Amino acid sequence: MGELRLIDINKVYDSVTAVDEINLTVNDGEFLTLLGPSGCGKTTTLRMIAGFTRPTNGQIYLDGELITSVNPRVFVPPERREMGMVFQTYAVWPHMDVFQNVAYPLKFKRLGRSESKERVEKALALVKLEGFANRYPHQLSGGQQQRVALARALVMEPEVLLLDEPLSNLDAKLREQMREEIRTLQRRLGVTIVYVTHDQLEAITMSDRIAVMNNGRILQLDTPREIYETPVDRFVAGFVGTANFVEALVVGQEGEQVTFQPEGADQTFRCHVERLPEAERVTLIVRPENLRLCPPQHADLTGIVRRRTYRGDRLDYLIEVGDNQLQVEAMNSDRYEEGNAVGLEMSSVAVLAHDN
């Protein structure tokens, strides 16, 4: 079992609130990601779960057992929490070989030598490091050192695995490989994972649910699909994926087909909308994949090409529509010159009430 519950957790440093009244349940066997920019409180939250940082207020439960509380005063030390943690900097000791690094946490378990050896070998096999037991960290690549840190966390057979930006020091190709390996390993073991990152691609591709954080608060807690397709506000929409924001007026509606007029433009267009707030002025969230360029005579909505950038496999455009500017991706074969008019088709949008 590995269910976590955080109730009214906050952390204040002097007069600065790092984590602000967080309530969160992480289900047994779930992969949950805390996603947000630097300084949003995600690592502080993770460290409070691990027991490395004590909250200013609130309670933390593991499988129904109170492990942290300010009132009543309860604090289970990190080594007794049945959790493993992987740090951003790996924290692999250079004077120990791989076997010694991975075996180190077992000292707290007081296991026999044969059982310890068996656990270490099992953990190394899980992270595909068989045959590396006698090597030292300086003989390993960055990806291999990260695997050592992961094996060291797994050797304790934890109920909960905590990972703090574990892939940020790896190159792009290795990061992609490790994403797949960690997710596959989590599904195989069924361990609960709380994962911290500022990389939205990691969060979307790895998580069962994502908690998007900013200024110490959770703004939205949902599945990757819901967060991407129906963000609760501009911050979430802009942080998770690429988004265009179009200020517009609602001028008509027939079922889920809504007619909008972009601000500063004398034209209207119809688009599919699943959820329309009760507001006359709205903000449309338009994802690049829901936009298509076409000749202006074939579209209700037209704009002016202000910039075209070659990206190898695609062209990136900046299109001016009234008072709005939209980023659009197009195939290399779809070439429209800067300064010329171009048509725009929107297949669907998400809609927020206008920020006043």
Side-chain angles (χ1 to χ4, degrees):
M1 297 292 289
E3 183 192 73
L4 275 170
R5 278 197 302 138
L6 282 64
I7 301 175
D8 297 332
I9 288 291
N10 78 330
K11 180 63 181 178
V12 179
Y13 294 101
D14 297 325
S15 59
V16 177
T17 300
V19 175
D20 191 3
E21 301 297 331
I22 281 183
N23 289 275
L24 174 66
T25 296
V26 186
N27 300 316
D28 179 36
E30 182 176 32
F31 194 124
L32 183 132
T33 295
L34 303 178
L35 173 68
S38 298
C40 72
K42 56 189 185 295
T43 292
T44 301
T45 301
L46 196 75
R47 291 181 63 85
M48 287 190 287
I49 293 171
F52 298 134
T53 298
R54 299 195 184 207
T56 305
N57 190 41
Q59 297 178 329
I60 301 175
Y61 290 83
L62 175 60
D63 290 331
E65 177 185 349
L66 187 61
I67 59 174
T68 294
S69 178
V70 176
N71 185 22
R73 191 175 181 84
V74 175
F75 185 78
V76 176
E79 65 272 15
R80 291 177 47 206
R81 294 197 174 201
E82 302 298 329
M83 298 181 187
M85 186 158 181
V86 179
F87 299 91
Q88 179 179 356
T89 55
Y90 313 155
V92 176
W93 292 291
H95 63 288
M96 295 182 181
D97 63 24
V98 169
F99 186 96
Q100 292 167 329
N101 264 284
V102 175
Y104 184 82
L106 296 178
K107 292 182 178 181
F108 300 103
K109 289 280 190 179
R110 297 184 179 180
L111 302 176
R113 181 174 296 180
S114 62
E115 186 176 354
S116 293
K117 183 174 183 295
E118 182 180 337
R119 280 208 189 187
V120 172
E121 290 175 346
K122 178 182 177 183
L124 290 175
L126 285 171
V127 299
K128 302 179 182 178
L129 283 180
E130 305 98 320
F132 285 76
N134 296 324
R135 296 194 188 184
Y136 284 83
H138 72 272
Q139 298 173 310
L140 305 175
S141 68
Q144 289 167 339
Q145 290 186 43
Q146 187 61 284
R147 286 185 172 90
V148 172
L150 186 56
R152 187 175 55 197
L154 292 171
V155 78
M156 295 288 286
E157 298 179 355
E159 296 183 22
V160 178
L161 186 58
L162 309 173
L163 297 100
D164 185 10
E165 306 251 20
L167 309 182
S168 60
N169 293 327
L170 304 179
D171 62 60
K173 187 172 183 179
L174 187 54
R175 218 165 36 235
E176 182 178 355
Q177 178 184 342
M178 287 298 297
R179 281 200 301 264
E180 292 298 324
E181 290 187 9
I182 289 173
R183 186 55 168 144
T184 299
L185 187 62
Q186 189 264 343
R187 287 171 174 163
R188 177 180 170 187
L189 298 178
V191 65
T192 302
I193 286 185
V194 182
Y195 190 98
V196 161
T197 187
H198 64 272
D199 187 321
Q200 53 92 12
L201 182 59
E202 282 184 18
I204 287 176
T205 58
M206 298 175 73
S207 313
D208 295 314
R209 286 191 301 159
I210 301 171
V212 182
M213 295 184 64
N214 194 34
N215 296 326
R217 290 181 173 270
I218 294 177
L219 303 182
Q220 186 170 358
L221 174 62
D222 220 322
T223 64
R225 181 171 183 174
E226 283 295 314
I227 284 177
Y228 185 79
E229 296 184 359
T230 55
V232 296
D233 60 21
R234 286 182 69 121
F235 177 86
V236 175
F239 195 82
V240 182
T242 302
N244 292 293
F245 300 101
V246 178
E247 311 305 332
L249 300 176
V250 179
V251 295
Q253 181 178 7
E254 294 181 15
E256 293 185 346
Q257 291 293 318
V258 182
T259 302
F260 298 101
Q261 180 179 5
E263 291 192 357
D266 58 359
Q267 52 191 320
T268 62
F269 68 98
R270 286 163 58 88
C271 191
H272 173 81
V273 176
E274 290 188 3
R275 304 174 189 176
L276 184 67
E278 294 183 2
E280 181 181 348
R281 300 174 69 237
V282 296
T283 300
L284 309 182
I285 302 170
V286 189
R287 299 293 187 185
E289 63 269 21
N290 293 328
L291 275 171
R292 190 178 73 86
L293 298 181
C294 62
Q297 63 270 24
H298 296 161
D300 293 332
L301 185 64
T302 61
I304 303 297
V305 178
R306 293 306 181 196
R307 188 178 68 232
R308 186 182 72 186
T309 306
Y310 177 72
R311 297 290 186 186
D313 61 336
R314 68 182 191 275
L315 294 169
D316 285 356
Y317 289 89
L318 185 67
I319 310 297
E320 183 179 280
V321 180
D323 295 338
N324 302 276
Q325 292 192 330
L326 289 81
Q327 296 181 4
V328 184
E329 295 181 1
M331 302 291 291
N332 276 332
S333 57
D334 299 332
R335 291 180 175 268
Y336 298 91
E337 300 299 323
E338 293 182 2
N340 288 355
V342 65
L344 281 168
E345 292 182 352
M346 298 187 192
S347 58
S348 66
V349 297
V351 184
L352 300 173
H354 194 284
D355 294 332
N356 292 311

